[in-house]
Amino acid sequence: MKHLKYGPMLLLMLLLASKGFGQIYTKVEERRPASLLLKAGALGTAREGGELQDRFGGLLALEWALSKNMSLNAGLERPYSVSDHERRAFGEFRYYFESHIAKAHFSGTYLAPSFYFSGAKSESSPMDLNDFRSPTDPKAFQLNKGYGLRFGREVLGLIDFGLMAGVDNAIEKTRALATSQFEVKNTALPFLRSYFRFHLPFALDGKGAFSPILKSGERREKILKLGLDDLFDFSKRGIYFNPVIAYEQRVAKRTSVNLESQFNFSRFKAFDLLNDSALEFSEEKYLNQNLSFSAELQGRYYVVPFKSDKSGENLSLEGIYAGMLGRYYTHSNETFRQYWSFDKNNRLDLGINLGMQKSFARHYLVDVYVAYAANLYAANEGAKKGSLLGGIQFYWIPDLP
């Protein structure tokens, strides 16, 4: 898979963070909080099929504290999202409801007017196909700029997530004129979407003092995990909905069972790519609808638990793990031209996995993993016999009785 190479890199980066950042921030006395924070990070996830989950995002930004409750956050970003992934420069003024500078160190719930610009030029019609970043992409829109209001939460300068409502200004392909040209227009696209950012925090002014980012977790016999990233996007572009839910239960000292399910639905208009080599597209956009679901059962053995007692019991269900997995995946694609046409795919895989799971700030958890899955059954004859999977997943974990 094209993004798998980021999985081991992210695993190493987070392992170093757990050893280095935790020790450094624990030793620093809380004298004066940081007022300037550099945030840099990247996320990559690859899953067989690509229709369900296959994406990459990154961010490089500075957040400057203007007062105890206000800051300026600006930088470069490629959103970690299937539906909204154009590279862009952004800036936003944040108002934190908690006094984040004096107490929480760039953590807390905030409200932020936000603006971003992708660098795409508004062109008069007709427009050459090669003016788009991805010449073979049949998508109907390309982002130019946008603005809106974010309501989100940043946690220890490490993750940033929430909801955004606003308007995108985009170039819309309205009709294919020839092999290399489209008729285009500028259009406004109101939207409501979720967002998620991951980054490592670095204090630049020498005053930074943070609580340990990765402490030992609490004792847990079970964990309910609700996915935080790339949840939904509703706009004139189309509809995208992508919830992830998982449940892990301890069954022995270092052994657990983890069940994860993911549902994905998208509905949008796009051009048909009729001839890949000649870049020939359909004259009109057609309605395209995708529905995917996966269920994955893992048996995990924690080789290196992050918190254990004298008997070796993994108290927090956190650490480096290895195990077996079974996975069922189904996907259907429907396209409406003059009538609906359907394409379905089902498969059953069995494989092995290696990963690291760690909680932070009590209610958040990160799971970095790589896996190999061999295909046991596939409905279509062209399915691959085996596939590599990998990536990083963030969850919110509620308290359980």
Side-chain angles (χ1 to χ4, degrees), residues 237-292:
R237 293 190 191 201
I239 298 173
Y240 178 79
F241 185 53
N242 182 53
V244 177
I245 184 169
Y247 179 81
E248 185 172 1
Q249 176 70 55
R250 182 201 310 280
V251 295
K253 287 183 179 180
R254 293 192 181 190
T255 307
S256 70
V257 174
N258 186 75
L259 175 63
E260 178 173 299
S261 63
Q262 179 175 1
F263 172 79
N264 180 283
F265 174 77
S266 64
R267 183 181 175 93
F268 56 91
K269 285 189 175 182
F271 291 91
D272 283 343
L273 181 57
L274 305 177
N275 187 325
D276 195 357
S277 59
L279 299 182
E280 293 180 0
F281 289 86
S282 59
E283 183 177 348
E284 299 179 23
K285 297 191 291 283
Y286 295 108
L287 183 63
N288 188 284
Q289 183 170 288
N290 289 276
L291 182 64
S292 302

Side-chain angles (χ1 to χ4, degrees), residues 301-373:
Y301 178 77
Y302 284 89
V303 183
V304 182
F306 287 162
K307 184 178 183 181
S308 61
D309 60 13
K310 293 181 180 180
S311 69
E313 181 178 357
N314 183 12
L315 301 178
S316 60
L317 289 177
E318 298 175 19
I320 298 174
Y321 63 84
M324 301 283 293
L325 65 87
R327 179 171 178 262
Y328 173 74
Y329 166 75
T330 181
H331 168 253
S332 66
N333 171 264
E334 298 90 35
T335 302
F336 183 76
R337 297 177 181 91
Q338 295 180 346
Y339 54 87
W340 284 102
S341 61
F342 297 88
D343 181 25
K344 299 188 70 174
N345 178 27
N346 298 288
R347 58 182 295 143
L348 182 63
D349 298 332
L350 182 65
I352 56 175
N353 63 333
L354 174 68
M356 184 194 74
Q357 179 167 276
K358 193 71 188 74
S359 69
F360 58 97
R362 185 177 179 180
H363 287 296
Y364 304 93
L365 183 140
V366 58
D367 190 355
V368 185
Y369 64 94
V370 291
Y372 175 80

Side-chain angles (χ1 to χ4, degrees), residues 144-308:
N144 179 23
K145 58 187 175 183
Y147 57 89
L149 189 66
R150 295 182 187 268
F151 178 71
R153 184 170 184 84
E154 184 154 329
V155 181
L156 300 176
L158 187 67
I159 62 171
D160 180 10
F161 64 95
L163 304 177
M164 183 175 182
V167 177
D168 283 335
N169 181 275
I171 303 168
E172 179 183 2
K173 300 175 184 177
T174 58
R175 188 165 61 96
L177 300 178
T179 302
S180 61
Q181 288 188 330
F182 280 97
E183 186 178 79
V184 298
K185 67 175 182 179
N186 291 329
T187 186
L189 307 172
F191 66 84
L192 174 65
R193 68 173 62 109
S194 65
Y195 64 91
F196 181 86
R197 296 163 170 167
F198 162 70
H199 31 67
L200 298 179
F202 302 91
L204 296 184
D205 54 6
K207 306 172 185 177
F210 293 79
S211 300
I213 289 178
L214 298 175
K215 296 180 180 179
S216 295
E218 301 178 4
R219 182 183 179 93
R220 292 186 175 94
E221 297 293 324
K222 54 190 175 182
I223 307 177
L224 178 64
K225 313 170 194 178
L226 305 177
L228 285 173
D229 56 86
D230 203 16
L231 290 176
F232 67 86
D233 188 345
F234 305 137
S235 75
K236 186 180 176 181
R237 293 190 191 201
I239 298 173
Y240 178 79
F241 185 53
N242 182 53
V244 177
I245 184 169
Y247 179 81
E248 185 172 1
Q249 176 70 55
R250 182 201 310 280
V251 295
K253 287 183 179 180
R254 293 192 181 190
T255 307
S256 70
V257 174
N258 186 75
L259 175 63
E260 178 173 299
S261 63
Q262 179 175 1
F263 172 79
N264 180 283
F265 174 77
S266 64
R267 183 181 175 93
F268 56 91
K269 285 189 175 182
F271 291 91
D272 283 343
L273 181 57
L274 305 177
N275 187 325
D276 195 357
S277 59
L279 299 182
E280 293 180 0
F281 289 86
S282 59
E283 183 177 348
E284 299 179 23
K285 297 191 291 283
Y286 295 108
L287 183 63
N288 188 284
Q289 183 170 288
N290 289 276
L291 182 64
S292 302
F293 174 79
S294 75
E296 185 172 288
L297 180 64
Q298 299 179 8
R300 294 182 173 183
Y301 178 77
Y302 284 89
V303 183
V304 182
F306 287 162
K307 184 178 183 181
S308 61

